[in-house]
Amino acid sequence: MPLPNTRVIHPNWSAHHRPTATGAMTATCRITRTDGDGTVGADGTWTPPAATTVYTGPCMVIAPSFERNPRVSAEQTQMTRRDYMVSVPWDVPEIHIGDVITVTSAVDPRLAGRTFAVTGLEYESEQWQRTMLAEEVEGRVVEQ
């Protein structure tokens, strides 16, 4: 219990510790967002809008559990769903659900090139980093 008229955590605690959180981010990633309606060509072919880069820089990718949930698509092919936590520095632009995260480099070479879709945003009382929940579908790798 703190003394009267004092706080257990200093008001600048988060800002002071952000560089430590960022320093622990050993991977790099690019976060992109696709907005707009796309275009329809003369032959009726729809082209989605180009993705806009929201952020490029350090990140941390963590697999919170080893649980794998199989999914079956309309074609009855089974894919493995993997959920991850991805953290980026606190002061990045706003991230939205549906944004796409591509790992551009990592200590584990098998992580580089993997893509994830943001499925949730985490909010915390101490603001050291931005943490997102993201989903990867097995085998979805972008060539660097």
Side-chain angles (χ1 to χ4, degrees), residues 32-34 95-101 116-121 133:
T32 57
R33 179 175 305 139
T34 304
I95 306 298
H96 297 168
I97 291 175
D99 286 354
V100 175
I101 303 166
F116 306 88
V118 176
T119 58
L121 305 169
L133 301 176

Side-chain angles (χ1 to χ4, degrees), residues 50-102:
T52 302
T53 299
V54 176
Y55 169 75
T56 301
C59 67
M60 179 187 310
V61 181
I62 299 172
S65 73
F66 290 99
E67 181 178 323
R68 296 176 183 185
N69 304 310
R71 288 189 172 175
V72 178
S73 69
E75 295 84 27
Q76 300 299 312
T77 56
Q78 188 169 339
M79 296 183 292
T80 301
R81 188 183 115 193
R82 293 192 176 119
D83 295 316
Y84 289 81
M85 289 175 32
V86 179
S87 298
V88 293
W90 169 258
D91 57 352
V92 303
E94 185 176 355
I95 306 298
H96 297 168
I97 291 175
D99 286 354
V100 175
I101 303 166
T102 303

Side-chain angles (χ1 to χ4, degrees), residues 1-72:
M1 175 169 234
L3 298 171
N5 300 318
T6 65
R7 296 176 56 151
V8 173
I9 297 178
H10 190 276
N12 294 327
W13 179 268
S14 290
H16 179 75
H17 287 85
R18 285 180 194 145
T20 303
T22 301
M25 297 177 186
T26 58
T28 59
C29 65
R30 178 178 56 251
I31 301 176
T32 57
R33 179 175 305 139
T34 304
D35 286 328
D37 297 329
T39 58
V40 178
D43 63 353
T45 304
W46 179 76
T47 303
T52 302
T53 299
V54 176
Y55 169 75
T56 301
C59 67
M60 179 187 310
V61 181
I62 299 172
S65 73
F66 290 99
E67 181 178 323
R68 296 176 183 185
N69 304 310
R71 288 189 172 175
V72 178

Side-chain angles (χ1 to χ4, degrees), residues 119-139:
T119 58
L121 305 169
E122 298 290 302
Y123 301 99
E124 302 168 310
S125 60
E126 292 304 319
Q127 302 117 9
W128 296 3
Q129 61 195 12
R130 295 287 180 191
T131 302
M132 301 153 280
L133 301 176
E135 177 181 285
E136 178 200 25
V137 176
E138 186 174 300

